[in-house]
């Protein structure tokens, strides 16, 4: 039997007083007319040209500036009618790769065979392309939209990354901005970036470009500040909820990570109309963190068995057998589910209670299995670990809580059961998040005594060093992204759920890219969170 691990989580760095003092001069009431004028100007920009290359550039700029959600119908129409999957006029690598990436990213069918014109008979990209920085960068970004078995895009990634690295030294002395772009992409490709973080960063870059649209830039800045005003109001409401819940006083051994939880929901669904979805998902994540800490650090095996049984029974009478600290957590979880289910039933006419109960039951069951591994010192096989821990990472529950409250979901989501545990899109989304988490947290959790980690499982099963295990897990993450892309093309989930499944792994890339930006090394993500929630963009 292993000794229970000890926790050394740092205190929260954003206190309730700071959150309550958040203020912004921007509001939809005061700036709504200006926003609508800019939206109409941007629509005219899209309709004023018939040049496919220019249209592709406009669409890419809108997506990276974070304003494409205003024009999704117009973009879909253009991609359906004006942008063909293959154009004989595309003689440069950049345009072909951009066309491919925009179409596939918007889920339009396009084959990687379009790159055949740039390849030799042996299936290799032509050496003459090895110094085309713009084309190589576009090819590199396009390669990350590949699906399982797409050999051309595997070759594209290898060819482009090798040559971009070779050119980087010269670029750093001749074109600093391009060099920064290349370095950033080699570190984390565009397709893996959290959309709202990318929008904030790209606004600064776009502003420096000579070939830019002042309409799109002005709209992006105003939209960012207005969406931020929504985030601030949501965070204030959540801060009051969290204080009133009393966890910080009664369960002080657990993490106080309200900001990280809320930031996570921006990664899951950032659009302003999904305010209720973010609030519901944040509440779920914050209570999940507490239950996770109880299982990892505080609860005895006897207490955890009682808790697991009580969750499966799902009634207040089951709470009587629990110790006091678990009663608080159980009651909060029980009330959250019932309140949310009631609200959705009244406002949308959908019964989501069975789904939300199942989300909690599955999560708590998976957390209990992990606690048993830790308690006995057992290291599971990699397969057994993933079968359990794709659930315990909490993506399934977070997305279902968010989905239950997405405005505008009455059609088509109202006719789709909120049960998708076996869906492969959700599975691969969760696997990427789990593996990113484990790579970032393994060192810390090893010191605190936790056993269950995919890194440890990999080292034991394969008989390799920690360094080699981590390198090979990074390759598994790349494979998981391919599987996610594959499942996206054939998923029958509602579009909003598909979008969340695709965006949630991007959140995990942001949180865990340089360490545990959620639990321990919060300074790694402090500035990113501040830029999205606290600091306005000067206009």
């Amino acid at each position: 039997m292993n000794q229970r691990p000890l926790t050394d989580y740092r205190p929260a760095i954003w206190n309730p007083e700071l959150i309550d003092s958040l203020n912004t001069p921007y509001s939809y009431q005061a700036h709504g007319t200006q926003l609508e004028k800019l939206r109409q100007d941007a629509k005219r920009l899209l309709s004023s040209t018939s040049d496919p290359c220019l249209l592709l550039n406009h669409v890419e700029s809108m997506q990276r500036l974070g304003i494409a959600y205003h024009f999704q119908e117009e973009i879909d129409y253009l991609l359906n009618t004006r942008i063909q999957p293959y154009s004989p006029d595309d003689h440069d690598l950049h345009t072909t790769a951009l066309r491919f990436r925009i179409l596939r990213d918007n889920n339009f069918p396009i084959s990687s065979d379009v790159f055949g014109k740039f390849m030799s008979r042996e299936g290799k990209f032509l050496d003459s392309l090895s110094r085309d920085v713009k084309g190589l960068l576009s090819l590199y970004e396009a390669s990350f939209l590949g699906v399982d078995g797409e050999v051309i895009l595997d070759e594209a990634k290898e060819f482009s990354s090798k040559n971009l690295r070779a050119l980087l030294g010269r670029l750093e002395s001749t074109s600093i901005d391009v060099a920064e772009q290349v370095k950033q992409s080699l570190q984390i490709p565009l397709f893996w970036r959290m959309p709202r973080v990318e929008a904030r960063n790209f606004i600064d870059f776009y502003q420096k470009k000579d070939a830019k649209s002042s309409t799109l830039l002005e709209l992006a800045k105003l939209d960012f500040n207005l969406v931020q005003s929504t985030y601030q109001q949501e965070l204030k409401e959540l801060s009051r909820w969290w204080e009133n819940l009393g966890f910080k006083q009664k369960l002080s051994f657990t993490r106080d990570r309200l900001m990280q939880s809320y930031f996570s929901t921006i990664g899951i669904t950032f659009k302003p109309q999904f305010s209720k979805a973010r609030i519901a998902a944040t509440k779920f994540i914050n209570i999940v963190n507490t239950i996770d800490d109880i299982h990892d650090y505080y609860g005895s095996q006897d207490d955890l068995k009682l808790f697991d049984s009580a969750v499966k029974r799902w009634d207040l009478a089951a709470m009587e057998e629990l110790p006091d600290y678990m009663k608080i957590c159980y009651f909060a979880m029980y009330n959250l589910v019932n309140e949310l289910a009631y609200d959705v039933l009244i406002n949308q006419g959908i019964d989501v209670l069975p789904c939300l109960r199942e989300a909690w039951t599955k999560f708590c069951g998976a957390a209990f299995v992990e606690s048993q591994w830790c308690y006995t010192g057992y290291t599971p096989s990699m397969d057994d670990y993933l079968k359990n821990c794709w659930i315990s990472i909490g993506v399934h529950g977070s997305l279902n809580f968010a989905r239950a409250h997405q405005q505008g979901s009455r059609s088509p989501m109202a006719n789709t059961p909120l049960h998708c545990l076996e869906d492969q899109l959700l599975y691969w989304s969760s696997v990427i998040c789990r593996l990113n988490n484990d790579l970032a947290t393994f060192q810390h959790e090893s010191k605190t005594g936790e056993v269950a980690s995919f890194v440890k499982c990999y080292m034991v099963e394969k008989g390799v060093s920690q360094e080699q295990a981590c390198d090979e897990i990074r390759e598994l993450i790349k494979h998981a992204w391919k599987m996610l892309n594959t499942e996206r093309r054939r998923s029958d989930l509602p579009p909003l759920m598909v979008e969340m499944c695709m965006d949630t792994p991007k959140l995990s890339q942001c949180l865990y890219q340089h360490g545990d930006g959620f639990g321990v090394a919060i300074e790694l993500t402090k500035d990113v969170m501040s830029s999205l929630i606290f600091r306005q963009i000067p206009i």
Side-chain angles (χ1 to χ4, degrees), residues 14 522-532 535:
W14 287 281
I522 51 180
E523 67 276 1
L524 296 172
T525 46
K526 179 181 177 181
D527 188 62
V528 176
M529 294 180 193
S530 296
S531 71
L532 293 196
R535 297 194 295 265

Side-chain angles (χ1 to χ4, degrees), residues 208-353:
K208 299 174 186 176
K209 290 181 65 175
D210 294 328
K212 62 176 177 285
S213 162
S214 58
T215 296
L216 295 185
L217 180 60
E218 189 177 350
L219 174 58
K221 289 181 176 181
L222 179 60
D223 179 75
F224 185 91
N225 289 339
L226 289 174
V227 173
Q228 185 183 78
S229 72
T230 299
Y231 293 164
Q232 290 185 2
Q233 292 306 310
E234 293 169 6
L235 187 57
K236 288 180 182 181
E237 178 182 335
L238 285 162
S239 180
R240 291 189 291 270
W241 165 81
W242 185 235
E243 286 296 303
N244 292 334
L245 202 61
F247 277 27
K248 290 198 292 183
Q249 293 75 33
K250 299 294 185 180
L251 304 173
S252 57
F253 58 87
T254 65
R255 286 170 287 182
D256 180 8
R257 292 291 179 264
L258 177 65
M259 275 293 296
Q260 288 88 327
S261 299
Y262 178 67
F263 176 78
S264 297
T265 67
I266 295 175
I268 292 170
T269 179
F270 77 86
K271 298 170 188 175
Q273 64 266 37
F274 298 141
S275 181
K276 282 190 172 184
R278 282 186 294 276
I279 290 171
T282 301
K283 292 178 178 180
F284 172 83
I285 295 169
N286 244 32
I287 296 177
V288 155
N289 290 335
T290 302
I291 294 175
D292 193 46
D293 290 343
I294 288 173
H295 281 79
D296 285 349
Y297 301 113
Y298 198 79
S300 69
Q301 277 297 291
D302 288 341
D303 287 351
L304 294 175
K305 287 177 184 176
L306 289 174
F307 190 81
D308 186 56
S309 175
V311 172
K312 290 174 181 174
R313 285 174 59 185
W314 200 262
D315 62 63
L316 291 181
M319 196 172 70
E320 295 175 4
E321 300 177 8
L322 299 177
D324 287 345
Y325 74 97
M326 282 186 169
K327 286 179 180 177
I328 296 169
C329 193
Y330 184 88
F331 208 179
M333 173 184 67
Y334 185 89
N335 285 341
L336 174 64
V337 169
N338 289 328
E339 288 169 8
L340 174 59
Y342 179 78
D343 188 50
V344 174
L345 183 62
I346 289 294
N347 291 296
Q348 299 185 38
I350 311 170
D351 180 12
V352 298
L353 182 59

Side-chain angles (χ1 to χ4, degrees), residues 484-498:
L484 187 67
N485 293 340
T486 301
E487 295 301 328
R488 179 192 186 185
R489 295 172 70 175
R490 58 193 183 205
S491 176
D492 57 1
L493 290 177
L496 288 173
M497 192 67 171
V498 172

